[in-house]
Amino acid sequence: MFLPSNLIVLYMLTFKIPTPKEFSFDRCFEFLLRSPKELLHQCADNKVIKLVRINGKDILFEMFWAGDQSLQVDILNGSITKAEKTELQLFIEEWFDLITDLKPFYTLARKDSLLKDLVQKFHGYRIIGQPDLFESLVWAVLGQQINLQFAYTLKQRFVETFGEKITFKNQPYYLFPQPEVVSHLTDEHLLPLQFSRQKSKYTALIAQAFVNGEISKQKLAGLPLAEAKEMLMKIKGVGNWTANYALMKTFRYPDAFPLEDAGVHNAIKNLKKLKAKPTLDQVRRQFKKYKGWEAYATLYLWKSL
């Protein structure tokens, strides 16, 4: 029996995503390897495995460098429709920031004493984002005033305890906890994971803001930076650093960068061979040179560390 063409659904198990010339899978893979405690993706043999939920369907995929200026994506837990493939490709392009044209940034950076060596050494490195705004905000809160590895410990416990998972070939794969679940959590749930009372409170408040419709990725999409920051900072616990971090990682605002970030200050101190960390005014002056590319300048300064 033949189906009308508008009813035909194409299923697929594998596809490729073209990448710009200014893209290095190896550099991005290095970033994804930052912590063995990371549960939201797994890296081995130069391949990344990740679980995502698209239109209510859990899709487990494996991704690797195909060697022909493209990423190959293999679906591991079944097949996907053409529409689901389109959504998954958009997610990956957003995750690895494949749409941004880095040529203007590299032209600017090659003329800058602070960045010129970094963009040559780490050419093709891109902002590995967090397309989920809720995840981005909670991760920023978890990382406040503690070292990176302890932040990953908190995240690991949080995801294992409250995230959903599937098991594939005896291996668990996790999704970040949903706002609907987290909005009901209290100190009783989070302090045993070694959350501080402040992090516990702020995490629940962020989730409640999503559940109540006060904030969403859709509401912020397309807003000027100042308006987006103002909306985020209405949530208790989301300050200037957290808002800038989330807007940089989720929306790729080029001028959203964490001015107060200790890593940025340390990178400038090291590269300029200063005796002390630069002041906020000195950092502001430095970043005036990077107008429109502040987020990528931040990325490469972080990489220098």
Side-chain angles (χ1 to χ4, degrees), residues 39-40 51 53 58 134 154-166 172-179 181-182 185 190 193:
L39 293 180
L40 297 180
L51 177 66
R53 179 168 291 165
D58 291 343
F134 176 64
L154 293 181
K155 180 182 175 183
Q156 179 187 42
R157 294 169 181 168
F158 183 61
V159 171
E160 282 181 328
T161 308
F162 302 110
E164 297 176 59
K165 71 175 181 179
I166 68 168
Y173 296 92
Y174 289 87
L175 294 170
F176 196 76
Q178 297 298 302
V181 173
V182 180
L185 301 182
L190 295 173
L193 306 184

Side-chain angles (χ1 to χ4, degrees), residues 98-115:
L98 296 179
I99 305 304
T100 298
D101 180 6
L102 288 187
K103 289 192 287 291
F105 170 66
Y106 285 145
T107 298
L108 178 154
R110 288 189 193 104
K111 299 174 184 176
D112 180 71
S113 59
L114 216 57
L115 294 178

Side-chain angles (χ1 to χ4, degrees), residues 4 17 46 59 75 82 101 105 113 154 166 179 186 189 223 247 252 278 299:
I17 301 175
N46 288 316
I59 299 172
I75 310 305
K82 187 176 180 180
D101 180 6
F105 170 66
S113 59
L154 293 181
I166 68 168
T186 63
H189 302 99
L223 289 180
L247 292 171
R252 301 314 202 294
L299 179 75

Side-chain angles (χ1 to χ4, degrees), residues 12-15 39-42 48-54 57-63 72-80 84 88 91-92 95 164-175:
M12 55 190 67
L13 296 169
T14 185
F15 62 94
L39 293 180
L40 297 180
H41 62 261
Q42 296 186 16
V48 183
I49 300 178
K50 185 170 177 63
L51 177 66
V52 294
R53 179 168 291 165
I54 293 177
K57 179 177 178 178
D58 291 343
I59 299 172
L60 184 69
F61 68 92
E62 179 180 79
M63 182 175 62
Q72 180 162 322
V73 181
D74 294 339
I75 310 305
L76 301 180
N77 63 332
S79 58
I80 58 174
E84 289 164 348
L88 179 56
F91 172 87
I92 293 169
W95 187 22
E164 297 176 59
K165 71 175 181 179
I166 68 168
T167 301
F168 180 77
K169 294 185 177 180
N170 298 318
Q171 177 71 42
Y173 296 92
Y174 289 87
L175 294 170

